[in-house]
Amino acid sequence: MKVSVDRDKCMGHGMCYALAPSVFTDDDEGYGHVIGDGTVPPDQAEAARAGATNCPEGAISVED
């Protein structure tokens, strides 16, 4: 699984990094972004999906 955050859609609500802190983090301005290259370890897949599903702007894409 791979995830990405659309910087143009993200408004910095923080749901992604609150729900999946090992997959997402915030930048200096409080916007979410993916840690590393976006590859999600299998044990973090559920948390990454929760972060994506709970993004109010739908700024997170998930590729299986």
Side-chain angles (χ1 to χ4, degrees):
M1 163 190 275
K2 203 160 187 164
V3 294
S4 61
V5 177
D6 183 333
R7 173 75 174 177
D8 293 331
K9 289 183 181 178
C10 179
M11 292 291 152
H13 291 284
M15 295 302 296
C16 59
Y17 50 85
L19 293 168
S22 63
V23 178
F24 304 100
T25 190
D26 60 332
D27 63 14
D28 293 339
E29 297 174 357
Y31 295 100
H33 70 93
V34 179
I35 296 172
D37 69 355
T39 301
V40 178
D43 65 325
Q44 293 297 314
E46 187 175 334
R49 286 188 196 283
T53 301
N54 286 285
C55 176
E57 287 82 25
I60 301 171
S61 298
V62 178
E63 295 178 34
D64 288 314

